Structures are given as structure tokens and as C-alpha cells.
Amino acid sequence: MAATSEQRSTVVGAFEDHQQADTAISELRQAGFREDQIAIEEDRSVGGAKSDRTTVTVTAEGRYDEATA
């Protein structure tokens, strides 16, 4: 059975550009997502190579499509 968007509860986005991650976080907050629903992890190295990737995880709680947008 394929999962529908109503069944999905977590959205994860990985950003190579820190500014894009900041923009996404700002938009999530403006959309009404609470601070406790948004987790941010900054990876400074990936597989031994230098990286500035930022991962943003959102607990969507029935708002999967909105969090993805």
C-alpha cells in the first residue's frame, strides 16, 4: 500500500547553501510550524570532505504537503 501524504509525518530537506536553509526555516515558521517541530543539523564534513550542508527536519503532524512546499 502506498503512503498518502496524510500518513507521512516527517519532512527532511538537505541544503548545500546555508542561505537556502535559512529561507526554508523562515518560511516554515511563517507557515505556523512551531520551533519544537523544526530540527536543524549542520554538517561541516561529509565522508572526510569539507561540506556546509544543512539538514532541516520538520514534524509535519498532518501538514506534510504544506511542509514540503
Side-chain angles (χ1 to χ4, degrees):
M1 173 189 268
T4 65
S5 60
E6 291 81 27
Q7 295 172 324
R8 298 178 187 162
S9 61
T10 304
V11 177
V12 179
F15 301 88
E16 294 293 331
D17 182 324
H18 187 71
Q19 183 63 36
Q20 289 178 333
D22 285 343
T23 299
I25 294 163
S26 176
E27 290 176 0
L28 288 165
R29 290 174 178 148
Q30 288 176 357
F33 287 94
R34 301 181 316 270
E35 293 297 320
D36 66 332
Q37 292 177 284
I38 304 169
I40 305 160
E41 179 182 342
E42 295 187 28
D43 298 323
R44 296 294 176 200
S45 63
V46 177
K50 185 177 177 179
S51 173
D52 288 329
R53 181 173 53 199
T54 302
T55 303
V56 178
T57 305
V58 182
T59 304
E61 296 179 354
R63 298 171 60 194
Y64 180 86
D65 291 336
E66 189 177 354
T68 301

